[in-house]
Amino acid sequence: MSTTSRAIADWMRLRDLTTVFGGPGADGAFPGDVRRIRGLQEAVVVAMADGYASVTGRPALVDLGCAAHGAGAVLGAAANRTPLIVTTGLGSARPAVKWSCAPAPRDVPAALEWAYHVSLTPPRGPVFLSLPADLTATEADPAPAVRPLAAAAAPDPIALAVLAERLDRARSPVLVVGADVDASGGWAAAVELAERCALPVWEASQSGRVSFPQSHPHYRGALLPGAEPAARQLAAHDLVLAAGVPPPEGVAAVLLTSDPSCAAFGDVIMGDVRQALTALAELTKLRHEPLPGTWPAPSPAPRGSRPMSLVTALAALAEGAPPETIWVSESPPSRPVFHDQIRIDRPGSFLCAAGGEAGHGLPAAIGAQLGEPSRPVVAVVGDGSLQHAVAALWSAAAYRVPLTVVVLTDGAQAMLRWLSRLDGAGPGADLCAIAKGYGVAASHVESAEALTAALRIATASDLPMLIEVPVNGP
């Protein structure tokens, strides 16, 4: 017989889960020789874990003092389909999780193993455990045996064969890709299918990932927000294949998905998205047809204006970033211009909040850099977005996380302007001074040349750096 605390430590070693993201007041539910990444606010902690699990593909452990304070971020992780194991002794995150449990002390190790499996089964997402207060003084069975998990379910081969025939007969088929293509490792399979069947490819609107190379000649850009505009973009096609994302409302499509909750969308083939795309590429005939139109080249970036245009700033970032960069975006007005200038051409290279929660970008970028230390991570956030999670800078400095934070400042800061009408305070903030106060090196640049140079220095550094960039409008 072992103590509960010791059994948990043994289970963590068996599962190779040695990083724990902890919130203020967390009592250290995960003992042993682990890497603890703490944050000053619960939502920041959850978002860091979200970024970490998104790039590693494995569950992240989250220990919160009060789950209620991080509930919004847990809901965001659910929208991102991120596997998190969230624990706390207070509150409950049940509305936003796949599964929850309040195990007795001796059952905690077995409950953690169950939580691990549930978080990884499609659709992936956060799970929640409410743990007893003292795990060191109670007895538990030894750590449970680690069971192999093959969570990807194979799609129905007969349904895929029928779909392949429809693709071959279609006059003008089209492919729409969503975040699950990238998350499932289906990037190469999507490219192979598009090339074989001469499919133009659209990205789902506001997708949390990029799932097709944006410089590829088959890529057509992102669908417009809203059902009617997106439907108009797809209206000329007689067969719409939606992979990893439900089609726009009102669009008849065949949906490839691993999420049973999407069955209401009509013509659905359930199963692993990567396997489905791979099988379709093998079953379909090679189509020799030219594709009309292409996605336009990046817009010309004007030079010399102060402050810079948003196009100029993002073009300067594209010029200065290493090709293996992981980009994390949270500047909603700049999203279309971002993808116009910064083309994502490698899998696992773009993250943003699928649910649109404010304050996700900076902490998610910290987690992504911790999870993928061999690649540079650049967070592009707005000044208003930064203020929602500015405390994350403390974690970046405390753990010497070498990410780069680019803050696009246009003076809008809608939330701060709203507050200023209440109390008469001005909305301005010295972001460089704030970053330096947390221990993060910061610089203010006003030209494209200076921005490109600053980004090259920052991505080569082994410390976090913030670059403030005034821009002229969205």
Side-chain angles (χ1 to χ4, degrees):
M1 188 67 69
S2 173
T3 66
T4 299
S5 180
R6 174 51 56 190
I8 292 173
D10 292 342
W11 173 80
M12 291 173 66
R13 282 193 293 271
L14 290 171
R15 276 291 175 203
D16 193 27
L17 298 177
T18 57
T19 298
V20 178
F21 295 88
D27 56 5
F30 299 102
D33 185 17
V34 299
R35 178 174 65 164
R36 299 185 185 278
I37 307 297
R38 295 197 176 273
L40 300 182
Q41 200 268 347
E42 284 85 352
V44 165
V45 171
V46 175
M48 287 194 296
D50 191 333
Y52 182 89
S54 294
V55 300
T56 63
R58 306 184 66 240
L61 301 174
V62 185
D63 187 20
L64 300 179
C66 179
H69 296 164
V74 175
L75 182 63
N80 293 336
R81 308 286 179 84
T82 306
L84 301 181
I85 301 175
V86 182
T87 67
T88 185
L90 300 170
S92 173
R94 293 181 184 181
V97 297
K98 293 178 61 179
W99 175 78
S100 62
C101 181
R106 68 177 299 154
D107 297 328
V108 170
L112 285 168
E113 175 68 6
W114 186 263
Y116 179 91
H117 283 252
V118 174
S119 72
L120 285 174
T121 53
R124 292 183 169 195
V127 296
F128 173 74
L129 295 177
S130 181
L131 300 182
D134 188 1
L135 301 177
T136 61
T138 55
E139 292 186 341
D141 294 329
V146 171
R147 305 185 303 277
L149 173 64
D156 181 4
I158 296 177
L160 289 175
V162 172
L163 176 57
E165 292 180 359
R166 291 182 62 186
L167 281 169
D168 289 338
R169 294 196 306 268
R171 172 184 54 81
S172 178
V174 64
L175 175 62
V176 178
V177 294
D180 282 357
V181 173
D182 186 53
S184 69
W187 180 289
V191 172
E192 183 179 3
L193 177 63
E195 292 176 345
R196 184 168 183 81
C197 296
L199 301 175
V201 179
W202 289 91
E203 195 91 41
S205 175
Q206 300 298 317
S207 178
R209 294 173 179 256
V210 169
S211 291
F212 199 86
Q214 294 180 328
S215 295
H216 194 284
H218 288 235
Y219 188 74
R220 293 296 179 268
L223 293 175
L224 294 171
E228 290 186 9
R232 286 195 296 269
Q233 289 174 291
L234 300 173
H237 301 283
D238 60 340
L239 178 58
V240 178
L241 176 60
V245 63
E249 185 178 354
V251 174
V254 180
L255 172 61
L256 308 177
T257 182
S258 61
D259 185 355
S261 69
C262 292
F265 287 95
D267 197 345
V268 178
I269 299 178
M270 289 293 306
D272 181 67
V273 175
R274 178 187 61 81
Q275 292 186 42
L277 292 170
T278 300
L280 288 173
E282 295 172 351
L283 293 168
T284 49
K285 298 176 182 177
L286 182 63
R287 186 185 293 236
H288 299 282
E289 295 179 9
L291 284 180
T294 59
W295 197 35
S299 303
R303 299 281 178 140
S305 61
R306 297 289 181 92
M308 282 181 281
S309 70
L310 182 58
V311 170
T312 301
L314 291 169
L317 293 177
E319 182 179 350
E324 68 274 17
T325 296
I326 296 174
W327 297 90
V328 182
S329 173
E330 192 193 340
S331 181
S334 73
R335 180 76 182 267
V337 185
F338 179 99
H339 288 302
D340 173 56
Q341 294 297 321
I342 300 174
R343 304 293 169 97
I344 307 299
D345 288 323
R346 299 188 182 199
S349 295
F350 179 83
L351 299 173
C352 76
E357 64 273 14
H360 173 270
L362 171 57
I366 294 171
Q369 187 68 84
L370 289 166
E372 189 61 271
S374 64
R375 297 176 65 183
V377 174
V378 177
V380 180
V381 302
D383 44 356
S385 298
L386 176 71
Q387 299 288 12
H388 282 280
V390 68
L393 292 172
W394 177 87
S395 299
Y399 300 103
R400 300 171 66 90
V401 185
L403 85 155
T404 303
V405 183
V406 178
V407 186
L408 304 174
T409 62
D410 61 4
Q413 301 187 60
M415 179 60 72
L416 294 180
R417 282 190 173 180
W418 179 76
L419 291 173
S420 72
R421 289 200 295 269
L422 294 182
D423 58 20
D430 188 340
L431 301 182
C432 287
I434 292 173
K436 291 174 182 177
Y438 279 109
V440 174
S443 62
H444 178 102
V445 301
E446 296 189 359
S447 71
E449 295 77 13
L451 177 54
T452 296
L455 183 64
R456 286 172 176 161
I457 292 171
T459 53
S461 173
D462 58 0
L463 293 172
M465 299 185 71
L466 181 144
I467 305 171
E468 182 183 7
V469 187
V471 293
N472 183 17

